[in-house]
Amino acid sequence: MLNFLLRRILTMVATALVLTFVVFWLTNLPPNLEKLAKSEGNARMTDAEVTSWLDRNGHAQPLLKRYGEWLGVAPGWTDERDGVTSGRCIARGTLPEDNPAFCGVLQGYWGQSTVFKAPVSEIIATRLGLTGILMFWVMVLMVPSALLIGILAGMREGSRLDRVLSTASITTTATPEYVSGVILIVVFSSSMVGLKWFKGTATSAMDGITFENFFLPVLTIALYGMGYIARMTRASMSEVMTAQYIRTARLKGASFGRVVVRHALRNALIAPFTVIMLQFPWLLNGVVIVETLFNFKGFGWTLVQAAGNNDIQLLLGCSVVAVVVVLVTQAMSDVGYVLLNPRIRVS
Amino acid sequence: MTDAQTPILEIENLSISFFTRSREIPAVMDFSCKVMPGEAMGLVGESGCGKSTVALGVMRDLGRNGRITGGSIRFKGRDITTMGERELRGLRGREIAMIYQEPMASLNPAMKVGAQLAEVPLIHEKIGKAEAWARARAIIEDVRLPDPDRILQAWPHQLSGGQQQRIVIAMALMSRPSLLILDEPTTALDVTVEAGIVDLVRDLAEKHGTSMLFISHNLGLVMDVCDRLCVMYSGEAVETGDVVEVFSEMRHPYTQALFRSIPLPGADKSARPLVAIPGNFPLPHERPPGCNFGPRCDYFVAGRCDAQEIPMLPAGGAPRHNSRCIRVDEIDWDAPPALAATAEPVPPGEVVIEASDLRKYYETAPGMFGGGTAKIVKANEQIDFSARAGETLAIVGESGCGKSTLAKVLMGLEVASAGTVTLNGDQIQQLPVEKRGPALISSLQMVFQNPFDTLNPSMSIGAQIIRALEIFQIGSSAADRHDRMLKLLDLVKLPREFATRKPRQLSGGQKQRVGIARAFAGEAKVVVADEPVSALDVSVQAAVTDLLMEIQRKNRTTLLFISHDLGIVRYLSDRVLVMYLGHVVEIGTTAEVFSPPFHPYTEALLSAVPVADPRVTRKRIVLQGDIPSAMNPPPGCPFQTRCRWKPLVPGNLCETVVPELRPIAGGHRVKCHLTDAQLATMEPVIEVAAE
Ligand SMILES: Nc1ncnc2c1ncn2[C@@H]1O[C@H](COP(=O)(O)OP(=O)(O)OP(=O)(O)O)[C@@H](O)[C@H]1O
Ligand code: SF4
Ligand code: SF4
Ligand SMILES: [Mg+2]
């Protein structure tokens, strides 16, 4: 088991490095840098001025070196001009000796956001916290209902209940969040239908969550993921229900309820568990749309702002977080699979 | 309690159909049988004849598309066919229990063994959890499993196949049912393990007075276990009666044909040749008018056999012996089978293939960071044999003994760890199959166990044979190869039209013929056949076996016949090699190996094979325990953990020293420490009473 974990962690780190490098490369393409120079310096800079600005701010170095600096494994650049040493790690107005040589993601230095004028780490921490709350409620709503729907549909394959639930799950998975979100807003919070049960914006939820201001965004994300998990659970459940050991249980004289709860459930949940974890990254997708739609200023909203305003450091920070989330959930799904399934709980 | 006169189970004119989208499939028609208290009823017949359907009908568990369409099933006088769900649940597990074929699949993988056992009384009796677990522990002891406390806490996958089947049996007996239904309970197990399970079932049933419905396609096993027998053919009972009575006085052509198509360990091939049943089993919706067996029956008379439904008629004089044959009183039942032209034995030629001190070790990979040490699995230890042209060498042994590994090494699918394999004078043990030239590949071919896996489902039969010819670089042009392909189809007795068919349109036996055609496409010098007929139905096995022998005789091919079926081995092989845990423990001519002196393992193996012949008396030697794992073999003699002769060997020689494979007479060699004098005291295992 320890071995297995170690191997998982190693591959995870390797994947994270590759992915962040790709993102770094994409966000640091010359046109982006030119835009950065113009927005930081002066919008009417000449090409020569842009080049010199980039040179002075360490952007002219080789890509790999810049990536290393950003990551914190290569010493930050320094530049001596007119007797003043400036550098990546040198805060303005301090002496070079008072600053560390390395300053990258690993040292906790995530850079400065150009849009919010605040350290990236701070922004991400608060925004991620807000999204975390949103995701927590999404999970609370989505997982139990999806599993329940899947189990109910799968325990008697082909029954009317199965057909109704399956159709519903296909519909919700097939509807993207920007459609379901808009429909939900129109139906439940606009004067067009008149059912003003919930609020169409979740801005106030950032200060205090109420059922009224938070239910719609949560539901929008949950609906999308729910259909998928429910269908997986149903497939897994209906397969388990045809297994020999289910027949054994039936022929022991166990009632249908007992067969489902005691014999089928655990076996049927092994496959969906993996899916739930793998669903997580996809939900981030929905988060971006829903947060923008409901004006909930979480992580997804921040990502949109960063991308729209060429905020390179913030964008990089966001992608690091996204990569970590994806990899960690994947690892959790593997470990969970091993724990649920006694047959492979070995080496 | 029921008195001795009311039957435990009485099935009358039962009909069961499955309803598919396109049609109704009548799986069981007009089936009747009766099981008295304490009686064991055997149900035999080919695959698909409806045995399992009857059993599931009794449990009323026919799935969503199965329905009882007529007749009645009375259990202790109560009609099961009209029972409500609740009443049925009270019956299942408590009064009637069922065991079926695959033990691993019958146990819930995510539930501990103890919990699965304790569940039965928890459902049916108002007792506490502690008491239920105590009962579970007691029953584990009853089924003779060691260390019950460990087993209670084990997951199913931590037990061996034999142990799992014992747990399944224990589960069925938890509530002392009065009827036990066993559907092929041992088919997936090795013979020596099977012998133990069969003994256990019989003893427990006797102890508790349980009645049994025992389903099997193995006539010998049925004779071992049952008092009465019911032979099924295509959804109907065709003959019922007392087991010994039916076996000694068969009164239905199908029973007789079935019996003649299986090799018996008591008889040899010249005295009792195998006779295959011609034709194929009719599909349930394509049954002929009148007698279902008509199209395949030697005694068929047009106008009588196909004119009406054939009723069950009394047969043979003994009470309760019935046969569904209209000519039961006219046929001369003692007429010997028409003798197939017996072939002259082929004198063996020069040595073609030889293995000497061959070893194959597998290394299980250690962890990536050196966690855990590498384990070595000794799949083959010291294999020595040689085989001559035109000779059939059988390789027998139970699962895991290294038979298939040996085949892989010979074929180049694996390379040997040590030792040599010599084919026509060239050493080939280090040549993986990719490095073998077409001449070598075509001269050393293999027929696989499962004809279903080895054919490409999307390619026509003809194309697959032509492909083999191309690989062997045989034939000068496409037309020539096409021609050769048709000749190969003739050789394996398949109609030439089959060239354009896809594998799914063929039956199992036909697919295996295609496999044989491919193996012999390049005039192979040596053919390794790994369990070539064990996936086929009994009535087809004979035909495929005979075909294999005939082609071999014609081409003077050396056949290495890997099998666990000692009946077939005795029938067709010239010499036999017995393997146990990667060792050759005995090798010699068929007569030498099948008669004393034996290696102690061979003795146990022979005694474990059930014989469907009432004239044969067989000494029962039931081995204790399971085959040790090849990962962790015992020191000294590989067989020492189960050997009953070990006490005769002085000191702890058996536990410490691996015996030599030493000659005892001519080419007969045995790997055992017993002295010649001790070996000479061995008695035959099978004796045929004089007629
Ligand atoms: N669920 C089903 N739907 C349709 N047909 C079925 C179903 N189950 C069985 N059958 C058909 O009913 C017939 C009898 O099948 P059954 O399983 O009882 O045979 P069997 O004698 O037990 O064979 P085996 O020795 O292979 O176990 C077969 O033709 C089979 O194809
Ligand atoms: S009734 Fe006729 S066809 Fe059927 S088994 Fe008897 S002799 Fe053969
Ligand atoms: S060597 Fe000993 S343990 Fe092995 S088979 Fe012979 S008597 Fe039995
Ligand atoms: Mg069956």
Side-chain angles (χ1 to χ4, degrees):
Chain A
M1 189 72 197
L2 203 68
N3 221 320
F4 167 76
L5 279 178
L6 266 176
R7 256 204 315 264
R8 282 294 329 180
I9 290 170
L10 263 195
T11 29
M12 239 167 79
V13 170
T15 326
L17 283 180
V18 172
L19 286 179
T20 50
F21 180 73
V22 170
V23 176
F24 188 87
W25 174 61
L26 288 175
T27 47
N28 282 278
L29 287 175
N32 293 5
L33 291 176
E34 193 186 320
K35 254 193 267 169
L36 177 75
K38 286 184 175 165
S39 63
E40 288 297 284
N42 171 351
R44 278 185 293 281
M45 272 201 262
T46 61
D47 286 355
E49 280 169 332
V50 167
T51 320
S52 104
W53 187 90
L54 289 179
D55 189 36
R56 254 184 296 128
N57 287 286
H59 295 295
Q61 305 171 87
L63 183 69
L64 216 54
K65 167 87 168 66
R66 279 182 285 150
Y67 176 70
E69 287 175 5
W70 172 79
L71 197 62
V73 294
W77 55 267
T78 51
D79 183 88
E80 211 179 317
R81 236 169 266 249
D82 316 327
V84 182
T85 311
S86 63
R88 179 185 166 85
C89 306
I90 301 169
R92 200 159 293 167
T94 57
L95 290 173
E97 300 83 63
D98 299 340
N99 288 291
F102 295 86
C103 56
V105 173
L106 292 179
Q107 283 81 21
Y109 181 85
W110 293 53
Q112 190 79 7
S113 159
T114 52
V115 182
F116 297 100
K117 308 287 178 222
V120 167
S121 43
E122 243 167 64
I123 302 173
I124 290 188
T126 40
R127 301 301 172 188
L128 207 56
L130 287 170
T131 297
I133 297 171
L134 177 64
M135 292 305 282
F136 171 76
W137 288 107
V138 168
M139 285 295 175
V140 166
L141 176 68
M142 178 181 76
V143 173
S145 17
L147 293 182
L148 189 70
I149 291 174
I151 298 285
L152 288 177
M155 71 188 190
R156 284 208 177 95
E157 206 187 345
S159 64
R160 177 174 310 183
L161 184 65
D162 177 23
R163 286 203 298 273
V164 170
L165 292 177
S166 296
T167 315
S169 346
I170 294 175
T171 317
T172 64
T173 335
T175 317
E177 289 97 338
Y178 51 84
V179 175
S180 52
V182 169
I183 294 177
L184 287 174
I185 292 179
V186 168
V187 172
F188 292 112
S189 64
S190 75
S191 38
M192 233 170 87
V193 177
L195 293 176
K196 291 195 164 183
W197 295 352
F198 306 106
K199 284 197 183 152
T201 144
T203 316
S204 57
M206 287 184 289
D207 304 318
I209 293 173
T210 62
F211 190 61
E212 196 189 13
N213 64 23
F214 217 44
F215 183 67
L216 282 191
V218 167
L219 184 66
T220 311
I221 302 178
L223 270 183
Y224 180 70
M226 192 146 55
Y228 191 64
I229 298 176
R231 290 200 50 75
M232 280 299 297
T233 314
R234 174 189 174 275
S236 159
M237 182 71 184
S238 55
E239 192 191 313
V240 165
M241 285 307 281
T242 61
Q244 291 268 16
Y245 56 83
I246 295 299
R247 167 170 279 168
T248 308
R250 252 195 340 259
L251 297 189
K252 273 180 189 173
S255 63
F256 186 71
R258 191 182 175 101
V259 169
V260 169
V261 175
R262 300 258 318 168
H263 292 268
L265 215 52
R266 178 164 172 186
N267 289 296
L269 288 185
I270 294 174
F273 182 83
T274 326
V275 178
I276 293 173
M277 283 301 161
L278 295 181
Q279 244 336 52
F280 224 89
W282 284 111
L283 292 181
L284 283 183
N285 234 344
V287 163
V288 172
I289 295 162
V290 167
E291 287 186 356
T292 310
L293 193 64
F294 288 90
N295 201 23
F296 181 77
K297 292 176 180 156
F299 181 76
W301 180 86
T302 312
L303 194 63
V304 174
Q305 298 301 315
N309 295 301
N310 195 38
D311 192 339
I312 295 181
Q313 297 298 337
L314 187 55
L315 204 52
L316 273 170
C318 288
S319 39
V320 170
V321 171
V323 164
V324 169
V325 169
V326 171
L327 293 178
V328 168
T329 48
Q330 218 154 55
M332 274 166 64
S333 92
D334 284 1
V335 174
Y337 185 77
V338 172
L339 288 182
L340 268 177
N341 192 344
R343 253 177 299 183
I344 56 172
R345 200 186 295 164
V346 272
S347 57
Chain B
M1 279 268 102
T2 43
D3 61 294
Q5 300 318 310
T6 26
I8 289 284
L9 182 72
E10 188 171 17
I11 303 179
E12 268 177 2
N13 311 333
L14 179 70
S15 298
I16 299 175
S17 290
F18 290 100
F19 295 86
T20 63
R21 217 161 286 179
S22 49
R23 62 167 74 87
E24 172 183 352
I25 300 174
V28 172
M29 288 164 19
D30 194 23
F31 177 87
S32 305
C33 86
K34 207 189 280 183
V35 183
M36 301 303 282
E39 200 173 67
M41 164 71 103
L43 207 54
V44 298
E46 285 171 82
S47 174
C49 69
K51 305 179 299 276
S52 303
T53 309
V54 168
L56 292 173
V58 174
M59 293 308 267
R60 273 272 303 278
D61 192 72
L62 290 163
R64 247 179 316 128
N65 64 344
R67 222 173 45 231
I68 295 176
T69 51
S72 66
I73 305 170
R74 270 196 298 282
F75 175 75
K76 292 185 179 169
R78 294 145 72 195
D79 191 347
I80 295 180
T81 55
T82 56
M83 245 177 218
E85 248 333 286
R86 240 199 129 70
E87 208 179 341
L88 213 52
R89 276 213 304 276
L91 219 60
R92 290 175 178 165
R94 181 185 173 80
E95 300 253 36
I96 311 178
M98 179 162 173
I99 296 171
Y100 32 76
Q101 193 168 341
E102 275 169 41
M104 186 65 206
S106 322
L107 293 173
N108 188 337
M111 221 168 149
K112 289 198 173 149
V113 167
Q116 299 193 45
L117 287 171
E119 194 182 13
V120 180
L122 284 175
I123 292 172
H124 293 290
E125 294 158 54
K126 292 196 168 36
I127 62 169
K129 211 173 154 186
E131 199 189 333
W133 276 73
R135 291 253 299 265
R137 191 183 183 285
I139 201 114
I140 290 181
E141 280 179 339
D142 254 11
V143 294
R144 300 173 207 157
L145 280 172
D147 202 355
D149 292 310
R150 186 183 65 84
I151 290 193
L152 276 180
Q153 296 300 331
W155 300 98
H157 70 271
Q158 294 168 331
L159 308 179
S160 72
Q163 289 176 326
Q164 285 172 2
Q165 194 62 310
R166 277 169 201 261
I167 292 296
V168 173
I169 291 171
M171 202 150 76
L173 295 174
M174 264 318 262
S175 274
R176 301 272 149 80
S178 31
L179 176 65
L180 185 58
I181 302 177
L182 302 106
D183 188 356
E184 312 258 9
T186 55
T187 309
L189 304 175
D190 276 317
V191 268
T192 59
V193 180
E194 173 183 84
I197 298 265
V198 165
D199 252 27
L200 173 76
V201 167
R202 220 178 17 199
D203 289 356
L204 288 177
E206 207 159 302
K207 184 164 138 200
H208 303 307
T210 317
S211 306
M212 286 196 284
L213 188 61
F214 189 94
I215 299 178
S216 182
H217 65 267
N218 186 335
L219 294 173
L221 203 56
V222 167
M223 204 177 108
D224 262 7
V225 178
C226 302
D227 311 308
R228 291 181 55 75
L229 172 70
C230 174
V231 182
M232 275 186 87
Y233 183 76
S234 191
E236 296 177 321
V238 293
E239 183 165 4
T240 57
D242 181 83
V243 165
V244 178
E245 167 88 16
V246 172
F247 276 121
S248 42
E249 283 182 48
M250 293 180 191
R251 285 298 175 266
H252 193 280
Y254 175 64
T255 318
Q256 196 179 43
L258 198 60
F259 192 74
R260 285 180 177 167
S261 69
I262 53 167
L264 293 180
D268 70 83
K269 56 183 149 186
S270 53
R272 192 178 169 285
L274 289 193
V275 186
I277 307 178
N280 278 320
F281 192 77
L283 292 175
H285 55 275
E286 292 171 356
R287 294 196 177 109
C291 177
N292 283 337
F293 189 56
R296 303 170 78 186
C297 180
D298 288 341
Y299 305 103
F300 179 80
V301 177
R304 286 180 64 204
C305 297
D306 55 3
Q308 75 221 336
E309 288 296 313
I310 315 285
M312 267 313 220
L313 301 167
R320 295 177 70 199
H321 185 178
N322 296 303
S323 164
R324 197 184 287 276
C325 174
I326 203 163
R327 302 189 57 205
V328 60
D329 293 325
E330 308 162 20
I331 296 172
D332 173 12
W333 295 102
D334 296 324
L339 272 188
T342 36
E344 287 292 301
V346 186
E350 68 296 352
V351 170
V352 174
I353 189 164
E354 186 168 15
S356 142
D357 200 20
L358 185 66
R359 287 160 203 257
K360 175 67 195 172
Y361 295 168
Y362 288 105
E363 202 165 317
T364 56
M368 188 169 138
F369 299 101
T373 48
K375 280 206 177 110
I376 290 185
V377 181
K378 298 181 175 175
N380 281 167
E381 265 290 79
Q382 294 181 344
I383 304 287
D384 283 286
F385 69 86
S386 61
R388 296 168 181 278
E391 183 179 57
T392 303
L393 174 67
I395 300 171
V396 299
E398 295 175 278
S399 74
C401 73
K403 295 174 299 203
S404 295
T405 304
L406 177 57
K408 282 187 197 151
V409 173
L410 295 179
M411 296 308 299
L413 300 172
E414 298 279 357
V415 294
S417 308
T420 58
V421 178
T422 318
L423 179 75
N424 286 329
D426 303 324
Q427 294 207 351
I428 57 166
Q429 72 278 3
Q430 295 299 338
L431 272 186
V433 71
E434 315 83 65
K435 295 207 188 122
R436 295 187 173 183
L440 180 54
I441 289 188
S442 63
S443 63
L444 183 56
Q445 274 293 305
M446 181 151 178
V447 178
F448 294 90
Q449 172 167 16
N450 211 332
F452 312 95
D453 300 342
T454 49
L455 295 179
N456 180 343
S458 57
M459 230 166 139
S460 74
I461 300 303
Q464 303 201 38
I465 298 180
I466 290 177
R467 178 97 193 88
L469 289 169
E470 280 166 7
I471 292 173
F472 303 157
Q473 296 181 0
I474 286 175
S476 44
S477 62
D480 181 30
R481 288 197 188 111
H482 188 80
D483 214 46
R484 280 169 188 267
M485 179 270 290
L486 292 179
K487 292 219 177 77
L488 280 166
L489 286 181
D490 295 344
L491 181 72
V492 295
K493 298 182 181 150
L494 284 176
R496 288 189 167 197
E497 299 90 85
F498 275 37
T500 53
R501 296 223 183 145
K502 294 276 165 65
R504 81 186 120 77
Q505 292 165 297
L506 271 58
S507 71
Q510 290 167 338
K511 279 187 205 156
Q512 195 57 296
R513 284 166 196 260
V514 177
I516 294 174
R518 271 200 314 197
F520 283 89
E523 262 139 43
K525 290 279 164 297
V526 178
V527 169
V528 180
D530 190 355
E531 306 264 9
V533 295
S534 63
L536 306 178
D537 238 318
V538 268
S539 70
V540 187
Q541 284 184 2
V544 174
T545 313
D546 273 346
L547 174 78
L548 200 56
M549 301 301 298
E550 193 184 313
I551 301 178
Q552 181 223 4
R553 220 176 285 127
K554 210 184 302 173
N555 297 4
R556 286 185 61 75
T557 316
T558 305
L559 185 63
L560 299 182
F561 188 88
I562 300 179
S563 180
H564 68 272
D565 183 342
L566 292 178
I568 271 193
V569 163
R570 172 159 194 172
Y571 177 74
L572 60 74
S573 55
D574 303 310
R575 290 198 306 135
V576 180
L577 183 160
V578 184
M579 282 183 77
Y580 187 80
L581 265 188
H583 290 259
V584 175
V585 295
E586 180 165 1
I587 184 169
T589 64
T590 309
E592 284 164 348
V593 171
F594 279 75
S595 53
F598 318 99
H599 183 275
Y601 173 65
T602 314
E603 182 193 32
L605 196 61
L606 287 175
S607 90
V609 182
V611 183
D613 188 341
R615 292 167 307 155
V616 169
T617 45
R618 173 163 60 105
K619 203 161 70 192
R620 304 274 292 165
I621 301 160
V622 173
L623 291 181
Q624 297 307 314
D626 288 329
I627 305 174
S629 143
M631 197 107 81
N632 189 14
C637 171
F639 189 54
Q640 54 120 326
T641 53
R642 302 164 85 195
C643 181
R644 69 181 193 124
W645 289 85
K646 195 168 80 170
L648 293 188
V649 177
N652 56 359
L653 211 53
C654 294
E655 281 103 335
T656 48
V657 181
V658 182
E660 287 286 311
L661 186 61
R662 67 189 176 87
I664 51 175
H668 188 195
R669 291 186 290 164
V670 168
K671 191 176 249 177
C672 179
H673 288 307
L674 290 173
T675 62
D676 285 351
Q678 285 166 329
L679 285 172
T681 61
M682 285 187 165
E683 287 162 5
V685 173
I686 294 167
E687 270 173 308
V688 184
E691 284 187 56

